[in-house]
Amino acid sequence: MSLISNATPDSQLTSHHWASTNFYADIPMVMTGYASSRLWPHESQPQFWSKYQVWEWLQQVMDINQIDASNVPFQNFDMDGHQLCNLTYQDFVHAAGDLGPILFHRITQLKWAVEISCNFSEVSYPQTDGYDSSIQPRVPAVSPPPSCSHEMKMSYHRQHQVKKHNPRGSHLWEFIRDILLHPERNPGLIKWEDRTEGVFRFLKSEEVAQLWGKKKNNSSMTYEKLSRAMRYYYKREILERVDGRRLVYKFGRNARGWKESEK
DNA sequence: CGAGACTTTCCTGATT
DNA sequence: TAATCAGGAAAGTCTC
C-alpha cells in the first residue's frame, strides 16, 4: 500500500505512525514521553493502579484465561490498586468465587515480579501484540516460590488448566473499542459521537482497516471488508444499527467494557 | 478429523 | 461518481 511504502519518518510521527513494522510496537518510539510515563512504573506496580487499571487488569486476566467476562463480578472490584493489593486470598474468594484464586495468584505474581526485578526496565518485554499490552506481556514468567502457601500453588495450577476460548486475544469489536478507549495510541481514527450511548464514528475508515489488517497479518484488509464483519455484529447485538449516518456505529447490549461507568 | 465461532472475501443492489 | 451500507453465500482460520 502506498501509504506504507511512502511513509516518511515525519509522516509516521503524525497520521501514519501505525504503518511501522510491528503493530503498536512503534508507540514507545513515537510517543516516548507518554509511553514511558504510562508503562513505567505504574502499570508494573499494581499498588499504584487506578480503578480503571484494576478494571483493565481484570479484563486482561479474563482474556488470558478465556473466561466469559459476563460471569465476572466486576462490581466487587471497584477499587484501586492499593486496595486490590491489600486483599487477602479469602477476600478474593469471597469477591470472585472460583475465580478468586486465579486473581489472587495473578496479583501476587505481579507483586513478586516487581520485587524480583527491582528495576523493571531491565526486563525485556517484546510487544508483538500491543493490543493486549496492558499487563500480561510485561509479567515475567515466574512460578510460585517453594515458600508459598498450598492454596497459592493450587491456584497456580488451576489457572493453567483453564480452557482457552479466544487465544488471539481480541475480536474486531474489541479492537475498535480499545481504539476508542485509548485514542492516544492511535489518534484521530475513531471518535465518540455519544460517549454515554456508545455511539462512535470512523474518521479514517481505511486506516482503521489497515490497522486491523496489520493485527491479523492481512495487508489486504479494507474498510469494505471490515464493515461487513461489523454488520454481522448487529445480529449478535454487539453493535446496534445507526440508520442514516455513514461510518457511525453503536455498541449493543452484548458489547462489554466500553462504558465510562465501568472505569 | 469435525464442529463451531468468527471473520474474510466477493458480490449484487440500494443509498448518500 | 465514489463511498458507504445491506446482507447472502461461501471460503478461510483457528481452537477445542
Side-chain angles (χ1 to χ4, degrees):
Chain A
M1 189 204 179
S2 62
L3 276 179
I4 295 173
S5 58
N6 294 337
T8 63
D10 280 350
S11 67
Q12 287 183 351
L13 285 173
T14 55
S15 61
H16 298 148
H17 66 262
W18 50 270
S20 61
T21 306
N22 295 315
F23 184 70
Y24 283 110
D26 50 87
I27 294 166
M29 199 165 54
V30 174
M31 312 176 79
T32 306
Y34 168 76
S36 57
S37 65
R38 177 175 176 274
L39 301 179
W40 315 111
H42 279 60
E43 285 200 3
S44 62
Q45 298 183 9
Q47 53 267 51
F48 295 121
W49 287 348
S50 65
K51 281 188 180 184
Y52 179 59
Q53 284 173 306
V54 168
W55 177 87
E56 276 191 317
W57 171 74
L58 284 169
Q59 283 275 346
Q60 187 78 38
V61 177
M62 298 308 102
D63 284 350
I64 291 164
N65 292 300
Q66 316 310 325
I67 296 164
D68 183 355
S70 62
N71 296 326
V72 182
F74 283 94
Q75 70 278 6
N76 292 345
F77 292 93
D78 181 27
M79 60 183 75
D80 60 27
H82 180 70
Q83 295 168 291
L84 185 75
C85 287
N86 285 334
L87 295 184
T88 65
Y89 178 87
Q90 284 305 325
D91 289 335
F92 272 98
V93 172
H94 286 144
D98 288 345
L99 219 53
I102 293 175
L103 295 171
F104 178 74
H105 171 71
R106 271 283 167 192
I107 200 67
T108 304
Q109 200 177 43
L110 272 175
K111 287 192 281 188
W112 288 339
V114 173
E115 287 168 16
I116 289 167
S117 83
C118 296
N119 184 353
F120 237 49
S121 62
E122 289 177 7
V123 185
S124 173
Y125 303 100
Q127 289 199 355
T128 54
D129 186 354
Y131 176 73
D132 292 321
S133 68
S134 50
I135 290 130
Q136 167 67 5
R138 288 184 288 282
V139 179
V142 293
S143 297
S147 58
C148 75
S149 68
H150 172 70
E151 58 194 3
M152 200 180 288
K153 286 173 181 168
M154 290 303 287
S155 76
Y156 178 87
H157 295 303
R158 184 190 255 160
Q159 174 195 341
H160 290 270
Q161 286 169 2
V162 177
K163 296 270 173 82
K164 289 188 173 185
H165 174 248
N166 177 22
R168 281 180 299 175
S170 92
H171 294 138
L172 173 58
W173 72 269
E174 295 169 307
F175 168 81
I176 299 298
R177 175 198 67 191
D178 286 11
I179 289 177
L180 280 159
L181 258 32
H182 302 284
E184 72 282 352
R185 292 179 187 169
N186 296 280
L189 296 189
I190 312 174
K191 68 168 283 189
W192 290 110
E193 288 277 291
D194 187 325
R195 183 67 182 82
T196 308
E197 292 297 310
V199 179
F200 58 92
R201 179 164 55 92
F202 283 72
L203 300 176
K204 297 177 181 174
S205 56
E206 289 303 334
E207 284 194 24
V208 174
Q210 283 291 314
L211 199 53
W212 173 239
K214 197 156 196 163
K215 179 168 177 56
K216 300 291 288 292
N217 194 27
N218 176 358
S219 59
S220 66
M221 180 50 60
T222 63
Y223 177 71
E224 182 68 33
K225 291 186 278 194
L226 181 152
S227 66
R228 180 69 189 94
M230 295 286 277
R231 290 193 291 276
Y232 271 123
Y233 285 142
Y234 294 145
K235 197 152 197 168
R236 296 167 58 195
E237 296 187 86
I238 287 170
L239 293 178
E240 287 178 27
R241 210 174 263 104
V242 176
D243 291 326
R245 304 182 63 195
R246 294 182 143 208
L247 303 173
V248 176
Y249 299 83
K250 180 182 191 300
F251 285 122
R253 72 228 284 311
N254 293 328
R256 311 273 170 178
W258 60 269
K259 288 180 185 171
E260 204 150 33
S261 61
E262 290 175 347
K263 289 189 178 186

